[in-house]
Amino acid sequence: MRIFDPHIHMTSRTTDDYRAMADAGVEALVEPAFWLGQPRTSVETFVDYFDGLLGWEPFRASQFGISHHCAIALNPKEANDPRLKGVMDLLPRYLVKDRVVAVGETGYDSMTPLEDEILARHLELAVEHGLPALVHTPHRDKAVGTKRTLDVVRESGIDPGMVVLDHLNELSVPMVAESGCWMAFSVYPDTKMTEERMVSILKEFGTDRMMVNSAADWGHSDALKTLKTGQAMLAAGFDDKDVEKVLWSNPVDFYGQSGRLELNNAEVAEEYDGNSIKRGGS
Ligand SMILES: [Zn+2]
């Protein structure tokens, strides 16, 4: 099974996870910028974080033959902290770089007016940079939050084919299917979505514009949920082609719209010099 995990926070994972993922067939991934558990208190700390997503983390991944890409944004949880407003001004500097394949993750956490403004600005940045956008849907009031997210996507004028809404469930998937946006599902051990429920959704809605991720982070999560969903699909009667489409071709098609996917790693492992990766882009 060839796997592209389109949403996983590798900064929180160990090399054992990288090894297990490589053994499971994970060849590529996207790590969206997110929070770090402990709230950050200044803009400068985001510079170090974003640099890590572009420097050290791709190097770690490349040691296991995995191609690492990232999405850059001010995450929805921290978007409400007035001390971090300046992070929005940092984004254009990063959105032009190689291996930044999307703006994200953005979206709603508590659906505050400030989150409205910041989500709209992220979508504007995606349009300006010709990048896809990864939009997180809130865990509370999922249906209301998803509807409001789709309204903001429509108002922004971005091509819905350049937008993926993540953390969907049975309630939110019909309206996203209708919108033309891509649909993503975070399969988790206890919360969000299980592989069995995921298989039922794929049976009902088909495999077009569908992506499955492990979203693995600091909470109880499992970096192999992509593999386990593929296995559940096969057990339920889907064939290898369906699995390849959901776990590989769909993420490649979606993030490929950035023009920046690099699915061969050898270069990164050789070039990392301990501070930065010597490569193109600014
Ligand atoms: Zn995430």
Side-chain angles (χ1 to χ4, degrees), residues 14-28:
T14 64
T15 47
D16 285 355
D17 288 318
Y18 269 122
R19 183 169 289 115
M21 287 163 65
D23 290 346
V26 178
E27 293 182 20

Side-chain angles (χ1 to χ4, degrees), residues 58-75:
F59 174 67
R60 265 186 2 123
S62 70
Q63 292 175 309
F64 300 90
I66 296 175
S67 183
H68 182 289
H69 311 85
C70 67
I72 294 287
L74 173 58
N75 66 83

Side-chain angles (χ1 to χ4, degrees), residues 139-154:
H139 301 303
R140 295 174 299 267
D141 292 330
K142 179 75 77 186
V144 176
T146 304
K147 192 182 169 297
R148 189 151 149 194
T149 304
L150 287 170
D151 289 342
V152 178
V153 168
R154 248 175 252 117

Side-chain angles (χ1 to χ4, degrees), residues 7 9 34 105 167:
H7 182 158
H9 299 288
F34 196 42
E105 52 193 291
H167 314 312

Side-chain angles (χ1 to χ4, degrees), residues 7-9 32-35 105 134 136 166-167 186 188 192 213 215-218:
H7 182 158
I8 182 165
H9 299 288
F34 196 42
W35 65 310
E105 52 193 291
L134 167 57
H136 157 120
D166 208 337
H167 314 312
S186 301
Y188 255 45
K192 296 190 173 86
N213 61 71
D217 55 23
W218 299 264

Side-chain angles (χ1 to χ4, degrees), residues 21-41:
M21 287 163 65
D23 290 346
V26 178
E27 293 182 20
L29 60 85
V30 170
E31 176 162 8
F34 196 42
W35 65 310
L36 294 177
Q38 182 72 27
R40 283 166 280 197
T41 56

Side-chain angles (χ1 to χ4, degrees), residues 1-129:
M1 209 178 283
R2 185 162 54 148
I3 299 172
F4 188 131
D5 194 326
H7 182 158
I8 182 165
H9 299 288
M10 293 311 299
T11 302
S12 69
R13 312 304 292 199
T14 64
T15 47
D16 285 355
D17 288 318
Y18 269 122
R19 183 169 289 115
M21 287 163 65
D23 290 346
V26 178
E27 293 182 20
L29 60 85
V30 170
E31 176 162 8
F34 196 42
W35 65 310
L36 294 177
Q38 182 72 27
R40 283 166 280 197
T41 56
S42 70
V43 172
E44 289 71 24
T45 186
F46 279 81
V47 173
D48 299 327
Y49 174 59
F50 294 155
D51 286 346
L53 292 180
L54 284 160
W56 179 242
E57 212 51 56
F59 174 67
R60 265 186 2 123
S62 70
Q63 292 175 309
F64 300 90
I66 296 175
S67 183
H68 182 289
H69 311 85
C70 67
I72 294 287
L74 173 58
N75 66 83
K77 272 183 190 284
E78 289 177 307
N80 290 301
D81 189 331
R83 290 172 298 187
L84 303 180
K85 227 179 145 201
V87 175
M88 294 307 292
D89 302 327
L90 283 180
L91 301 184
R93 194 205 296 182
Y94 286 93
L95 295 177
V96 297
K97 289 184 187 279
D98 288 348
R99 288 189 177 267
V100 177
V101 296
V103 172
E105 52 193 291
T106 178
Y108 286 119
D109 183 46
S110 315
M111 293 191 266
T112 63
L114 193 55
E115 289 174 35
D116 280 325
E117 191 186 305
I118 287 183
L119 169 57
R121 178 63 188 139
H122 277 108
L123 294 173
E124 210 174 272
L125 284 167
V127 172
E128 282 168 27
H129 290 84

